[in-house]
Coordinates of all heavy atoms in Angstrom, one line a residue:
M1200 N -4.6 20.5 15.9 CA -5.7 21.3 15.4 C -7.0 20.6 15.5 O -8.0 21.2 15.7 CB -5.4 21.5 13.9 CG -4.3 22.4 13.6 SD -3.9 22.6 11.9 CE -5.2 23.6 11.4
L1201 N -7.0 19.3 15.3 CA -8.3 18.5 15.4 C -8.8 18.3 16.8 O -10.0 18.2 17.1 CB -8.2 17.2 14.6 CG -7.9 17.3 13.1 CD1 -7.7 16.0 12.5 CD2 -8.9 18.2 12.4
S1202 N -7.8 18.2 17.8 CA -8.2 18.0 19.1 C -8.5 19.3 19.9 O -9.2 19.3 20.9 CB -7.1 17.3 19.9 OG -5.9 18.0 19.9
G1203 N -8.1 20.5 19.4 CA -8.4 21.8 20.0 C -8.7 22.8 18.9 O -8.0 23.8 18.8
P1204 N -9.7 22.6 18.1 CA -10.0 23.4 16.9 C -10.3 24.9 17.3 O -10.0 25.7 16.4 CB -11.2 22.7 16.3 CG -11.8 21.9 17.3 CD -10.7 21.5 18.2
D1205 N -10.8 25.2 18.4 CA -11.2 26.5 18.8 C -9.9 27.5 18.7 O -10.1 28.7 18.5 CB -11.8 26.6 20.1 CG -13.2 26.0 20.1 OD1 -13.8 25.8 19.0 OD2 -13.8 25.7 21.2
D1206 N -8.8 26.9 19.0 CA -7.5 27.7 19.0 C -7.1 28.2 17.6 O -6.3 29.0 17.4 CB -6.4 26.9 19.6 CG -6.6 26.6 21.0 OD1 -7.3 27.3 21.7 OD2 -6.0 25.6 21.5
Y1207 N -7.7 27.5 16.5 CA -7.3 27.8 15.2 C -8.4 28.5 14.3 O -8.1 28.9 13.2 CB -6.9 26.5 14.5 CG -5.7 25.9 15.1 CD1 -5.9 24.9 16.1 CD2 -4.4 26.2 14.8 CE1 -4.8 24.3 16.8 CE2 -3.3 25.7 15.4 CZ -3.5 24.7 16.4 OH -2.4 24.2 17.0
I1208 N -9.6 28.6 14.8 CA -10.7 29.2 14.0 C -10.3 30.6 13.6 O -9.8 31.5 14.3 CB -12.0 29.2 14.8 CG1 -12.5 27.8 15.0 CG2 -13.1 30.1 14.1 CD1 -13.7 27.7 15.9
G1209 N -10.4 30.9 12.3 CA -10.1 32.2 11.7 C -8.7 32.4 11.2 O -8.4 33.4 10.6
K1210 N -7.8 31.4 11.5 CA -6.4 31.5 11.2 C -6.2 30.9 9.8 O -6.8 29.9 9.4 CB -5.6 30.9 12.2 CG -5.6 31.6 13.6 CD -4.7 31.0 14.6 CE -4.8 31.8 15.9 NZ -3.9 31.3 16.9
T1211 N -5.2 31.5 9.1 CA -4.8 30.9 7.8 C -3.9 29.7 8.1 O -2.9 29.8 8.9 CB -4.1 32.0 7.0 OG1 -5.0 33.1 6.8 CG2 -3.6 31.4 5.7
V1212 N -4.2 28.6 7.4 CA -3.5 27.4 7.6 C -3.0 26.9 6.2 O -3.8 26.9 5.2 CB -4.3 26.3 8.2 CG1 -3.6 24.9 8.3 CG2 -4.8 26.7 9.6
K1213 N -1.7 26.5 6.1 CA -1.2 25.9 4.9 C -0.7 24.5 5.2 O 0.0 24.3 6.2 CB 0.0 26.8 4.4 CG 0.5 26.3 3.1 CD 1.6 27.3 2.6 CE 2.1 27.0 1.2 NZ 3.1 28.0 0.8
M1214 N -1.1 23.6 4.4 CA -0.7 22.2 4.7 C -0.4 21.5 3.3 O -0.9 21.8 2.3 CB -1.8 21.5 5.4 CG -3.1 21.5 4.8 SD -4.5 21.0 5.9 CE -4.3 19.2 5.8
N1215 N 0.4 20.4 3.4 CA 0.7 19.6 2.3 C 0.5 18.2 2.6 O 0.7 17.7 3.8 CB 2.1 19.9 1.7 CG 3.2 19.6 2.6 OD1 3.1 19.8 3.8 ND2 4.3 19.1 2.1
G1216 N -0.1 17.4 1.7 CA -0.4 16.0 1.9 C -0.9 15.4 0.6 O -0.7 16.0 -0.5
S1217 N -1.7 14.4 0.8 CA -2.3 13.8 -0.4 C -3.8 14.1 -0.6 O -4.5 14.2 0.4 CB -2.1 12.2 -0.4 OG -2.8 11.7 0.7
F1218 N -4.2 14.3 -1.8 CA -5.6 14.7 -2.2 C -6.5 13.5 -2.0 O -6.2 12.4 -2.5 CB -5.6 15.2 -3.6 CG -7.0 15.6 -4.1 CD1 -7.6 16.7 -3.5 CD2 -7.6 14.9 -5.1 CE1 -8.9 17.0 -3.9 CE2 -8.9 15.2 -5.5 CZ -9.5 16.3 -4.9
S1219 N -7.6 13.7 -1.4 CA -8.6 12.7 -1.2 C -10.0 13.2 -1.5 O -10.3 14.4 -1.3 CB -8.6 12.1 0.2 OG -9.5 11.1 0.4
V1220 N -10.9 12.4 -1.9 CA -12.3 12.7 -2.2 C -13.3 11.7 -1.6 O -13.0 10.5 -1.6 CB -12.6 12.8 -3.7 CG1 -14.0 13.1 -4.0 CG2 -11.7 13.7 -4.4
Y1221 N -14.4 12.2 -1.0 CA -15.4 11.4 -0.5 C -16.8 11.9 -1.0 O -17.0 13.1 -0.9 CB -15.4 11.4 1.0 CG -16.6 10.7 1.7 CD1 -16.8 9.3 1.6 CD2 -17.6 11.5 2.2 CE1 -17.9 8.7 2.2 CE2 -18.8 10.9 2.8 CZ -18.9 9.5 2.7 OH -20.0 8.9 3.2
E1222 N -17.6 11.0 -1.5 CA -18.9 11.4 -1.9 C -19.9 10.7 -1.0 O -19.9 9.4 -0.9 CB -19.2 11.0 -3.4 CG -20.6 11.5 -3.8 CD -20.9 11.3 -5.3 OE1 -20.0 10.9 -6.0 OE2 -22.0 11.5 -5.7
D1223 N -20.8 11.5 -0.4 CA -21.9 10.9 0.5 C -22.9 10.4 -0.5 O -23.6 11.1 -1.2 CB -22.4 12.0 1.4 CG -23.5 11.5 2.4 OD1 -24.3 10.6 2.0 OD2 -23.5 11.9 3.5
E1224 N -23.1 9.1 -0.4 CA -24.1 8.4 -1.4 C -25.5 8.8 -1.1 O -26.3 8.9 -2.1 CB -23.9 6.9 -1.3 CG -22.6 6.4 -1.8 CD -22.5 4.9 -1.8 OE1 -23.4 4.2 -1.4 OE2 -21.4 4.4 -2.1
E1225 N -25.9 9.2 0.1 CA -27.2 9.6 0.4 C -27.5 11.0 -0.1 O -28.6 11.2 -0.6 CB -27.5 9.5 1.9 CG -27.6 8.1 2.5 CD -28.0 8.1 3.9 OE1 -28.5 9.1 4.5 OE2 -27.7 7.1 4.6
T1226 N -26.6 11.9 0.1 CA -26.9 13.3 -0.3 C -26.3 13.7 -1.6 O -26.7 14.7 -2.2 CB -26.3 14.2 0.8 OG1 -24.9 14.1 0.8 CG2 -26.9 13.9 2.2
G1227 N -25.3 12.9 -2.1 CA -24.6 13.3 -3.3 C -23.5 14.4 -3.1 O -22.8 14.8 -4.0
K1228 N -23.4 14.9 -1.9 CA -22.4 15.9 -1.6 C -21.0 15.3 -1.7 O -20.7 14.2 -1.2 CB -22.6 16.5 -0.2 CG -21.7 17.7 0.1 CD -22.1 18.4 1.3 CE -21.1 19.6 1.6 NZ -21.3 20.3 2.8
V1229 N -20.1 16.1 -2.3 CA -18.7 15.7 -2.5 C -17.8 16.5 -1.5 O -17.9 17.7 -1.4 CB -18.2 15.9 -3.9 CG1 -16.8 15.4 -4.1 CG2 -19.1 15.1 -4.9
Y1230 N -16.9 15.8 -0.8 CA -16.0 16.4 0.2 C -14.6 16.2 -0.3 O -14.2 15.1 -0.8 CB -16.2 15.8 1.5 CG -17.6 15.9 2.1 CD1 -18.6 15.0 1.8 CD2 -17.9 17.0 2.9 CE1 -19.8 15.1 2.4 CE2 -19.2 17.1 3.5 CZ -20.1 16.1 3.2 OH -21.4 16.2 3.7
F1231 N -13.8 17.2 -0.2 CA -12.4 17.2 -0.6 C -11.5 17.3 0.6 O -11.8 18.1 1.5 CB -12.1 18.3 -1.6 CG -13.0 18.2 -2.8 CD1 -14.0 19.1 -2.9 CD2 -12.8 17.3 -3.8 CE1 -14.9 19.1 -4.0 CE2 -13.7 17.2 -4.9 CZ -14.7 18.1 -5.0
A1232 N -10.4 16.6 0.7 CA -9.5 16.7 1.9 C -8.1 16.5 1.5 O -7.7 16.0 0.5 CB -9.9 15.6 2.9
C1233 N -7.2 17.0 2.4 CA -5.8 16.8 2.3 C -5.4 15.9 3.5 O -5.7 16.3 4.7 CB -5.1 18.2 2.4 SG -3.3 18.1 2.3
Y1234 N -4.8 14.8 3.2 CA -4.4 13.8 4.3 C -2.9 13.9 4.5 O -2.2 14.0 3.5 CB -4.8 12.4 3.9 CG -6.2 12.1 4.2 CD1 -7.3 12.3 3.4 CD2 -6.5 11.5 5.5 CE1 -8.6 12.0 3.7 CE2 -7.8 11.2 5.8 CZ -8.8 11.5 4.9 OH -10.1 11.2 5.3
I1235 N -2.6 14.0 5.8 CA -1.2 14.1 6.2 C -0.8 12.9 7.0 O -1.5 12.6 8.0 CB -1.0 15.4 7.0 CG1 -1.4 16.6 6.2 CG2 0.5 15.5 7.4 CD1 -1.4 17.9 7.0
A1236 N 0.3 12.2 6.6 CA 0.8 11.1 7.4 C 1.5 11.6 8.6 O 2.2 12.7 8.5 CB 1.7 10.2 6.6
D1237 N 1.5 10.8 9.7 CA 2.3 11.3 10.9 C 3.8 10.9 10.6 O 4.2 10.4 9.6 CB 1.8 10.7 12.2 CG 2.0 9.2 12.3 OD1 2.4 8.5 11.3 OD2 1.7 8.6 13.3
A1238 N 4.6 11.2 11.6 CA 6.1 11.0 11.5 C 6.5 9.6 11.2 O 7.5 9.4 10.4 CB 6.8 11.5 12.7
T1239 N 5.7 8.6 11.7 CA 6.1 7.2 11.4 C 5.3 6.7 10.2 O 5.5 5.5 9.9 CB 5.8 6.4 12.7 OG1 4.4 6.5 13.0 CG2 6.6 6.8 13.9
A1240 N 4.5 7.5 9.6 CA 3.7 7.1 8.4 C 2.8 6.0 8.7 O 2.4 5.3 7.7 CB 4.7 6.8 7.2
C1241 N 2.4 5.7 9.9 CA 1.4 4.7 10.2 C 0.0 5.2 10.2 O -0.9 4.4 10.0 CB 1.8 4.0 11.5 SG 1.4 5.0 13.0
C1242 N -0.1 6.4 10.5 CA -1.5 7.0 10.7 C -1.6 8.3 9.9 O -0.6 8.9 9.6 CB -1.8 7.3 12.2 SG -1.4 6.0 13.3
S1243 N -2.8 8.7 9.6 CA -3.0 9.9 8.9 C -4.2 10.6 9.4 O -5.1 10.0 9.9 CB -3.1 9.7 7.4 OG -4.2 8.9 7.0
Q1244 N -4.2 11.9 9.2 CA -5.3 12.8 9.6 C -5.6 13.6 8.3 O -4.7 14.1 7.6 CB -5.0 13.7 10.7 CG -4.9 13.0 12.0 CD -6.2 12.7 12.6 OE1 -7.2 13.3 12.4 NE2 -6.2 11.6 13.4
G1245 N -6.9 13.8 8.1 CA -7.3 14.6 7.0 C -8.1 15.8 7.4 O -8.8 15.8 8.4
I1246 N -7.9 16.9 6.7 CA -8.7 18.1 6.9 C -9.4 18.4 5.6 O -8.7 18.5 4.5 CB -7.8 19.3 7.4 CG1 -7.3 19.0 8.8 CG2 -8.7 20.6 7.4 CD1 -6.6 20.1 9.4
E1247 N -10.7 18.6 5.7 CA -11.5 18.9 4.5 C -11.2 20.4 4.1 O -10.8 21.2 4.9 CB -13.0 18.8 4.9 CG -13.9 19.2 3.9 CD -15.4 19.3 4.4 OE1 -15.6 18.8 5.5 OE2 -16.2 19.8 3.7
F1248 N -11.3 20.6 2.8 CA -11.2 22.0 2.3 C -12.2 22.3 1.2 O -12.7 21.4 0.5 CB -9.7 22.2 1.8 CG -9.3 21.4 0.6 CD1 -9.6 21.9 -0.7 CD2 -8.7 20.2 0.7 CE1 -9.2 21.2 -1.8 CE2 -8.3 19.5 -0.4 CZ -8.6 19.9 -1.7
T1249 N -12.5 23.6 1.1 CA -13.4 24.0 0.0 C -12.6 25.1 -0.7 O -12.2 26.1 -0.1 CB -14.7 24.6 0.5 OG1 -14.5 25.6 1.5 CG2 -15.6 23.5 1.2
L1250 N -12.4 25.0 -2.0 CA -11.7 26.0 -2.8 C -12.5 27.2 -3.0 O -13.7 27.2 -3.1 CB -11.3 25.4 -4.1 CG -10.3 24.2 -4.1 CD1 -10.1 23.7 -5.6 CD2 -9.0 24.6 -3.5
S1251 N -11.8 28.4 -3.0 CA -12.5 29.6 -3.3 C -12.8 29.7 -4.8 O -12.1 29.0 -5.6 CB -11.7 30.8 -2.9 OG -10.6 31.0 -3.8
G1252 N -13.9 30.3 -5.2 CA -14.3 30.4 -6.6 C -15.1 29.2 -7.0 O -15.6 28.4 -6.2
E1253 N -15.3 29.2 -8.3 CA -16.1 28.1 -8.9 C -15.2 27.0 -9.5 O -14.2 27.3 -10.2 CB -16.9 28.6 -10.1 CG -18.0 29.7 -9.6 CD -19.0 29.1 -8.8 OE1 -19.5 27.9 -9.1 OE2 -19.5 29.7 -7.8
H1254 N -15.4 25.7 -9.1 CA -14.6 24.6 -9.5 C -15.5 23.4 -9.7 O -16.5 23.2 -9.0 CB -13.5 24.3 -8.5 CG -12.6 25.4 -8.2 ND1 -11.5 25.7 -9.0 CD2 -12.6 26.4 -7.2 CE1 -10.9 26.8 -8.5 NE2 -11.6 27.2 -7.4
V1255 N -15.1 22.6 -10.7 CA -15.9 21.4 -11.1 C -15.0 20.2 -10.8 O -13.9 20.2 -11.3 CB -16.3 21.5 -12.6 CG1 -17.0 20.2 -13.0 CG2 -17.2 22.7 -12.8
Y1256 N -15.6 19.2 -10.1 CA -14.9 18.0 -9.9 C -15.4 17.0 -11.0 O -16.5 16.9 -11.3 CB -15.2 17.4 -8.5 CG -14.4 16.1 -8.3 CD1 -13.1 16.1 -8.0 CD2 -15.1 14.9 -8.4 CE1 -12.4 15.0 -7.8 CE2 -14.4 13.7 -8.2 CZ -13.0 13.7 -7.9 OH -12.3 12.6 -7.8
P1257 N -14.5 16.3 -11.7 CA -13.0 16.2 -11.4 C -12.1 17.1 -12.2 O -10.9 17.1 -12.1 CB -12.8 14.7 -11.8 CG -13.7 14.4 -12.9 CD -14.9 15.3 -12.6
D1258 N -12.7 17.9 -13.1 CA -12.0 18.7 -14.1 C -10.9 19.6 -13.4 O -9.8 19.7 -13.9 CB -12.9 19.6 -14.9 CG -13.8 18.7 -15.8 OD1 -13.6 17.5 -15.9 OD2 -14.9 19.3 -16.2
D1259 N -11.3 20.2 -12.3 CA -10.4 21.3 -11.7 C -9.6 20.7 -10.5 O -9.1 21.5 -9.7 CB -11.3 22.5 -11.2 CG -12.0 23.1 -12.4 OD1 -11.4 23.1 -13.5 OD2 -13.1 23.6 -12.2
Y1260 N -9.6 19.4 -10.3 CA -8.9 18.8 -9.2 C -7.9 17.8 -9.7 O -8.0 17.2 -10.7 CB -9.9 18.1 -8.3 CG -10.8 19.1 -7.6 CD1 -12.0 19.6 -8.2 CD2 -10.5 19.6 -6.3 CE1 -12.8 20.5 -7.6 CE2 -11.4 20.5 -5.7 CZ -12.5 20.9 -6.3 OH -13.3 21.8 -5.7
P1261 N -6.8 17.6 -8.8 CA -5.8 16.6 -9.2 C -6.4 15.1 -9.0 O -7.5 14.9 -8.5 CB -4.7 16.8 -8.2 CG -5.4 17.4 -7.0 CD -6.5 18.2 -7.5
E1262 N -5.6 14.2 -9.4 CA -5.9 12.8 -9.2 C -5.9 12.4 -7.7 O -5.1 13.0 -7.0 CB -5.0 11.8 -9.9 CG -5.1 11.8 -11.4 CD -4.2 10.8 -12.1 OE1 -4.1 9.7 -11.5 OE2 -3.7 11.1 -13.1
V1263 N -6.8 11.6 -7.3 CA -6.8 11.1 -5.9 C -5.4 10.5 -5.6 O -4.9 9.7 -6.4 CB -7.9 10.1 -5.6 CG1 -7.8 9.4 -4.3 CG2 -9.3 10.7 -5.8
G1264 N -4.9 10.9 -4.4 CA -3.6 10.4 -4.0 C -2.4 11.3 -4.4 O -1.3 11.1 -3.9
S1265 N -2.7 12.3 -5.3 CA -1.7 13.2 -5.7 C -1.2 14.1 -4.5 O -2.0 14.4 -3.6 CB -2.2 14.2 -6.8 OG -2.5 13.5 -7.9
E1266 N 0.0 14.5 -4.5 CA 0.5 15.4 -3.4 C 0.0 16.8 -3.8 O 0.2 17.3 -4.9 CB 2.1 15.4 -3.4 CG 2.6 14.1 -2.8 CD 2.2 13.8 -1.4 OE1 2.3 14.7 -0.5 OE2 1.7 12.7 -1.1
I1267 N -0.5 17.5 -2.7 CA -1.0 18.8 -2.9 C -0.5 19.7 -1.8 O -0.1 19.2 -0.7 CB -2.6 18.9 -3.0 CG1 -3.2 18.3 -1.7 CG2 -3.1 18.1 -4.2 CD1 -4.7 18.6 -1.5
V1268 N -0.6 21.0 -2.0 CA -0.4 22.0 -1.0 C -1.7 22.9 -1.0 O -2.1 23.3 -2.1 CB 0.8 22.9 -1.2 CG1 0.9 24.0 -0.2 CG2 2.1 22.1 -1.3
V1269 N -2.3 23.0 0.1 CA -3.6 23.8 0.2 C -3.5 24.8 1.3 O -2.9 24.5 2.4 CB -4.8 22.8 0.3 CG1 -4.8 22.1 1.6 CG2 -6.1 23.5 0.1
Q1270 N -4.1 26.0 1.1 CA -4.0 27.0 2.1 C -5.4 27.6 2.2 O -6.0 28.0 1.2 CB -3.0 28.1 1.8 CG -2.9 29.2 2.8 CD -1.8 30.2 2.5 OE1 -0.7 29.8 2.2 NE2 -2.1 31.5 2.5
G1271 N -5.9 27.8 3.4 CA -7.2 28.4 3.6 C -7.5 28.8 5.0 O -6.6 28.7 5.9
I1272 N -8.7 29.3 5.3 CA -9.0 29.8 6.6 C -9.7 28.6 7.4 O -10.6 28.0 6.9 CB -10.1 31.0 6.5 CG1 -9.5 32.1 5.6 CG2 -10.4 31.5 7.9 CD1 -8.2 32.7 6.1
F1273 N -9.1 28.3 8.6 CA -9.6 27.2 9.4 C -11.0 27.6 10.0 O -11.1 28.7 10.6 CB -8.6 26.9 10.5 CG -8.9 25.7 11.3 CD1 -8.5 24.4 10.8 CD2 -9.6 25.7 12.4 CE1 -8.8 23.3 11.5 CE2 -9.9 24.6 13.1 CZ -9.5 23.4 12.7
E1274 N -11.9 26.7 9.9 CA -13.2 26.9 10.5 C -13.8 25.5 10.9 O -13.3 24.5 10.5 CB -14.2 27.6 9.6 CG -14.7 26.8 8.4 CD -15.9 27.4 7.7 OE1 -16.2 28.6 7.9 OE2 -16.5 26.7 6.9
T1275 N -14.8 25.5 11.7 CA -15.6 24.3 12.1 C -17.0 24.5 11.6 O -17.5 25.6 11.5 CB -15.5 24.0 13.6 OG1 -16.0 25.1 14.3 CG2 -14.1 23.7 14.0
Y1276 N -17.7 23.4 11.4 CA -19.1 23.4 11.1 C -19.7 22.2 11.6 O -19.1 21.2 11.8 CB -19.4 23.6 9.6 CG -19.0 22.5 8.8 CD1 -19.9 21.5 8.4 CD2 -17.7 22.3 8.3 CE1 -19.6 20.4 7.6 CE2 -17.4 21.2 7.5 CZ -18.3 20.3 7.2 OH -18.0 19.2 6.4
E1277 N -21.0 22.2 11.9 CA -21.8 21.1 12.4 C -22.6 20.5 11.2 O -23.3 21.3 10.5 CB -22.6 21.4 13.6 CG -23.2 20.2 14.2 CD -24.0 20.6 15.5 OE1 -23.5 21.4 16.3 OE2 -25.1 20.0 15.7
E1278 N -22.6 19.2 11.1 CA -23.5 18.5 10.1 C -23.9 17.2 10.7 O -23.1 16.4 11.2 CB -22.7 18.3 8.8 CG -23.5 17.8 7.7 CD -22.7 17.8 6.4 OE1 -22.6 18.9 5.8 OE2 -22.1 16.8 6.0
N1279 N -25.2 17.0 10.7 CA -25.8 15.8 11.3 C -25.4 15.5 12.7 O -25.1 14.3 13.1 CB -25.5 14.6 10.4 CG -26.1 14.7 9.0 OD1 -27.2 15.3 8.8 ND2 -25.4 14.3 8.0
G1280 N -25.2 16.5 13.5 CA -24.9 16.4 14.9 C -23.4 16.2 15.2 O -23.0 15.9 16.3
Y1281 N -22.5 16.2 14.1 CA -21.1 16.1 14.3 C -20.4 17.4 14.0 O -20.8 18.1 13.1 CB -20.5 15.0 13.4 CG -21.1 13.6 13.8 CD1 -22.1 13.1 13.1 CD2 -20.5 12.9 14.8 CE1 -22.6 11.8 13.4 CE2 -21.0 11.6 15.1 CZ -22.0 11.1 14.4 OH -22.5 9.8 14.7
L1282 N -19.3 17.6 14.7 CA -18.5 18.8 14.4 C -17.3 18.4 13.5 O -16.6 17.5 13.7 CB -17.9 19.4 15.7 CG -17.1 20.7 15.6 CD1 -18.0 21.8 15.2 CD2 -16.4 21.0 16.9
Y1283 N -17.2 19.2 12.4 CA -16.1 19.0 11.4 C -15.2 20.2 11.3 O -15.7 21.3 11.5 CB -16.7 18.7 10.0 CG -17.5 17.4 10.0 CD1 -18.9 17.4 10.2 CD2 -16.9 16.2 9.8 CE1 -19.7 16.2 10.2 CE2 -17.6 15.0 9.8 CZ -19.0 15.0 10.0 OH -19.7 13.9 10.0
C1284 N -14.0 20.0 10.9 CA -13.0 21.1 10.6 C -12.8 21.1 9.1 O -12.9 20.1 8.4 CB -11.7 20.8 11.2 SG -11.7 20.6 13.0
Q1285 N -12.6 22.4 8.6 CA -12.3 22.5 7.2 C -11.5 23.8 7.0 O -11.5 24.7 7.8 CB -13.5 22.6 6.4 CG -14.3 23.9 6.4 CD -15.4 23.9 5.4 OE1 -15.5 23.1 4.4 NE2 -16.3 24.9 5.5
L1286 N -10.8 23.9 5.8 CA -10.2 25.1 5.4 C -11.1 25.7 4.3 O -11.4 25.0 3.3 CB -8.8 24.8 4.8 CG -7.8 24.1 5.7 CD1 -6.5 24.0 4.9 CD2 -7.6 24.9 6.9
K1287 N -11.6 26.9 4.6 CA -12.6 27.5 3.6 C -11.8 28.5 2.8 O -10.7 29.0 3.1 CB -13.8 28.1 4.3 CG -13.4 29.3 5.1 CD -14.7 30.0 5.7 CE -14.2 31.3 6.4 NZ -15.4 32.0 6.9
D1288 N -12.4 28.8 1.6 CA -11.8 29.8 0.7 C -10.4 29.4 0.4 O -9.5 30.3 0.3 CB -11.9 31.2 1.2 CG -13.3 31.7 1.4 OD1 -14.2 31.3 0.6 OD2 -13.6 32.5 2.3
A1289 N -10.1 28.1 0.2 CA -8.8 27.6 0.0 C -8.3 27.8 -1.4 O -9.1 27.9 -2.3 CB -8.7 26.1 0.4
V1290 N -7.0 27.8 -1.5 CA -6.3 27.8 -2.8 C -5.4 26.6 -2.8 O -4.8 26.2 -1.7 CB -5.5 29.1 -3.1 CG1 -6.4 30.2 -3.3 CG2 -4.5 29.4 -2.0
M1291 N -5.2 25.9 -3.9 CA -4.4 24.7 -4.0 C -3.3 25.0 -5.0 O -3.5 25.6 -6.1 CB -5.3 23.6 -4.5 CG -4.6 22.2 -4.5 SD -5.7 20.8 -4.8 CE -7.0 21.5 -5.8
E1292 N -2.1 24.7 -4.5 CA -0.9 24.9 -5.4 C -0.6 23.7 -6.2 O -0.9 22.6 -5.8 CB 0.3 25.2 -4.5 CG 0.1 26.5 -3.7 CD 1.3 26.8 -2.7 OE1 2.3 26.1 -2.8 OE2 1.1 27.7 -1.9

């Protein structure tokens, strides 16, 4: 998905992994992601997600490292000259 994102744009994706949070210190923007380990558990890839509706961090989110299942619409966006992937309008189980 990350190496050929155009094939997935607009598709519903469901994934399970561990919950992660990153806050950009310069902008204050908070990013949420689901990280998935590969088959040998040596490497992981994360996909950012934005939940549908109104949510407040940390009140409406699990603890960092918790196992989650998240489903949303796959899209890409550009920020500061870089292309990023995310699941938009996501729901978390």
Side-chain angles (χ1 to χ4, degrees):
M1200 292 174 71
L1201 299 178
S1202 62
D1205 290 343
D1206 295 336
Y1207 297 93
I1208 292 174
K1210 295 185 179 181
T1211 299
V1212 174
K1213 184 175 184 178
M1214 56 194 281
N1215 60 325
S1217 61
F1218 177 68
S1219 182
V1220 176
Y1221 169 74
E1222 182 174 355
D1223 185 321
E1224 293 180 6
E1225 287 184 20
T1226 65
K1228 185 173 179 182
V1229 180
Y1230 300 87
F1231 305 102
C1233 181
Y1234 274 88
I1235 303 170
D1237 70 352
T1239 60
C1241 73
C1242 308
S1243 63
Q1244 288 285 331
I1246 294 185
E1247 179 187 347
F1248 65 88
T1249 56
L1250 295 177
S1251 74
E1253 296 292 320
H1254 300 278
V1255 175
Y1256 181 76
D1258 299 342
D1259 299 326
Y1260 291 84
E1262 289 186 38
V1263 171
S1265 296
E1266 290 298 311
I1267 61 169
V1268 176
V1269 65
Q1270 180 174 314
I1272 308 299
F1273 189 87
E1274 72 169 11
T1275 59
Y1276 68 95
E1277 189 175 320
E1278 188 171 278
N1279 298 324
Y1281 294 98
L1282 184 68
Y1283 295 97
C1284 300
Q1285 75 169 348
L1286 301 182
K1287 70 175 183 174
D1288 297 327
V1290 292
M1291 189 168 28
E1292 298 176 13

